[in-house]
Amino acid sequence: MTLDDLTARLRGGVPLAQLLQIEAIALDPLTIRMPAAALALRPGGTTSGPAMMALADVAMWAALLIANEGQDLSRTTQLAIQFLRAAAPGPVIAEPRILKPGRTLIYGEVWIRGEGDDRPAAHVTTQWAVTPLPTR
Amino acid sequence: MTLDDLTARLRGGVPLAQLLQIEAIALDPLTIRMPAAALALRPGGTTSGPAMMALADVAMWAALLIANEGQDLSRTTQLAIQFLRAAAPGPVIAEPRILKPGRTLIYGEVWIRGEGDDRPAAHVTTQWAVTPLPTR
Amino acid sequence: MTLDDLTARLRGGVPLAQLLQIEAIALDPLTIRMPAAALALRPGGTTSGPAMMALADVAMWAALLIANEGQDLSRTTQLAIQFLRAAAPGPVIAEPRILKPGRTLIYGEVWIRGEGDDRPAAHVTTQWAVTPLPTR
Amino acid sequence: MTLDDLTARLRGGVPLAQLLQIEAIALDPLTIRMPAAALALRPGGTTSGPAMMALADVAMWAALLIANEGQDLSRTTQLAIQFLRAAAPGPVIAEPRILKPGRTLIYGEVWIRGEGDDRPAAHVTTQWAVTPLPTR
């Protein structure tokens, strides 16, 4: 899957990802970017919590799509975000990582930072359930 | 604060709340509603996880604005959502509740349901930090 | 299942429950009690966090044993505890509640309070996975 | 602080740590060990969830004591554990890490594994609040 394919997939599956202009910008490590669009910001210019949560969920979905060669086999069951500091004004980057694959439950984390900033703005842990294959 | 005042405040403070047309529809118990706008949906017509997370965060902020008579004194430090079942297609309702007020940390929960459905679609717990008053 | 049966089951399955003298004291609502034994306390006399976490996990297990008529069909996958205030010195009470039963995942909460105190000391949310039945 | 000092401190502050024979075995990276004592096990011989939660909480406390040169300046406000797989029978190791120090809130993680096993048995995220210094 190319970065363009992945971006198209994410935006097609989650309208908010389209709206927030979320895009995949690197595969190794997988990096998902959200520009500093007006819709993602709070008055004052820092990225809003809801925009970061959307970015995190989409980023983990991207990691699972990559791991499953484009097959969409799981859904979010749990997501916990800890806000660590305000992201600097500007684009925000998410790096998702699958910490524990599994046959029924998958567990991962996402680090969120302002682009060009080493310090994390938020840390996310998330659990996904593998969906049963449809039976015919 | 009237429902209209509260809705205006929520939409002014979080651009995604404006976009998702989030509105306050009742004060006792406090009820925040998100219509089934295209942007909130996944292909298939159920409400997306990111839209529910945005609704939950905005709903708890609404509860805190009400409790503090309109003063905005805290920010989200942690939010954990458990997805329980797909919401039926249609509008989604959030009911926030402050479980533990505090001088430095506040803890609350938000139940999310499809409008007209008794069964919860998601349960959220969230912690907010009281922000220090600006010193002059 | 009587209260004595349930207590025996909890203590037999979790040696720490035996050690901490955890016992079931009411069925409706289900109430699990931990006396103020020295092992549960911190210097100063308040209940320690680890003892409360053990109590919460055992209490939710009790709720699931009751719901499944004594069959042990699930295991903890996730537990999150929010400490709200120090419990008063003395015994501690846990009230577990299944918020969402399910065929594969179960979600519940546990409130923890000092005995005789209305104010919560901690709130727990927890997810359990239904274990596959052994196949022969 | 030597390993022996740290172990004594942990056991003195949390009676369950004494009982479970929790000890500090390395400083870089900080590693906290819980032997396979009968009290930590479930019937079947794997480490129980409550014992792992106690280990995690004590391990993060150890990391904070080290960071603060032995001063005890914070208390657990939140702890979330994800159980990933049964630990192999035998001792269990915890590696705590402070992910975000702070003046009011501290955030960290703890990885738990069976000794000699590369694969994690559980992952913990935890938040601590810095306690105000007593005023005279």
Side-chain angles (χ1 to χ4, degrees), chain C residues 13-89:
Chain C
V14 179
L16 274 178
Q18 167 74 40
L19 184 90
L20 293 168
Q21 302 173 47
I22 289 173
E23 60 182 334
I25 60 167
L27 284 173
D28 190 15
L30 182 58
T31 308
I32 310 296
R33 182 180 187 271
M34 182 168 67
L39 286 164
L41 302 183
R42 293 188 302 187
T46 61
T47 304
S48 75
M52 280 201 237
M53 294 190 279
L55 174 64
D57 195 45
V58 168
M60 181 54 58
W61 186 41
L64 293 165
L65 286 172
I66 295 285
N68 294 311
E69 297 174 358
Q71 291 185 86
D72 186 14
L73 299 174
S74 48
R75 59 185 170 75
T76 315
T77 47
Q78 212 260 353
L79 186 147
I81 187 165
Q82 181 86 20
F83 295 99
L84 300 172
R85 60 170 65 77

Side-chain angles (χ1 to χ4, degrees), chain B residues 32-94:
Chain B
I32 310 296
R33 182 181 187 269
M34 180 169 66
L39 286 164
L41 302 182
R42 293 187 302 185
T46 60
T47 303
S48 75
M52 279 199 240
M53 293 189 281
L55 174 63
D57 195 44
V58 169
M60 182 54 59
W61 187 41
L64 292 165
L65 285 172
I66 295 285
N68 295 311
E69 297 175 357
Q71 289 185 87
D72 186 13
L73 299 174
S74 48
R75 60 186 169 74
T76 315
T77 46
Q78 212 261 352
L79 185 147
I81 187 165
Q82 180 86 20
F83 295 99
L84 299 172
R85 59 171 66 76
V92 170
I93 298 293

Side-chain angles (χ1 to χ4, degrees), chain A residues 23-104:
Chain A
E23 60 182 335
I25 60 168
L27 285 173
D28 190 14
L30 181 58
T31 309
I32 310 296
R33 181 179 186 271
M34 180 168 68
L39 285 165
L41 301 182
R42 293 189 301 187
T46 60
T47 303
S48 75
M52 280 199 237
M53 293 189 279
L55 174 64
D57 195 44
V58 168
M60 182 54 58
W61 186 40
L64 292 165
L65 286 171
I66 295 285
N68 294 311
E69 297 175 357
Q71 289 185 87
D72 186 13
L73 300 174
S74 48
R75 61 187 168 73
T76 315
T77 46
Q78 211 262 350
L79 186 146
I81 187 165
Q82 181 86 20
F83 294 99
L84 299 172
R85 59 171 65 76
V92 170
I93 297 295
E95 290 189 16
R97 197 154 63 103
I98 299 171
L99 296 173
K100 168 72 168 61
R103 275 172 311 153
T104 56

Side-chain angles (χ1 to χ4, degrees), chain C residues 42-135:
Chain C
R42 293 188 302 187
T46 61
T47 304
S48 75
M52 280 201 237
M53 294 190 279
L55 174 64
D57 195 45
V58 168
M60 181 54 58
W61 186 41
L64 293 165
L65 286 172
I66 295 285
N68 294 311
E69 297 174 358
Q71 291 185 86
D72 186 14
L73 299 174
S74 48
R75 59 185 170 75
T76 315
T77 47
Q78 212 260 353
L79 186 147
I81 187 165
Q82 181 86 20
F83 295 99
L84 300 172
R85 60 170 65 77
V92 170
I93 297 294
E95 289 188 18
R97 197 155 63 105
I98 299 171
L99 296 174
K100 168 72 168 61
R103 275 171 311 153
T104 57
L105 292 174
I106 297 160
Y107 179 68
E109 70 175 348
V110 185
W111 284 100
I112 296 179
R113 302 166 201 270
E115 195 171 40
D117 191 348
D118 282 345
R119 302 169 310 161
H123 184 243
V124 171
T125 57
T126 182
Q127 187 201 64
W128 292 57
V130 178
T131 48
L133 288 174
T135 52

Side-chain angles (χ1 to χ4, degrees), chain D residues 1 6 15-16 73 81 91 103:
Chain D
M1 214 182 318
L6 183 55
L16 274 179
L73 299 174
I81 187 165
R103 274 171 311 153

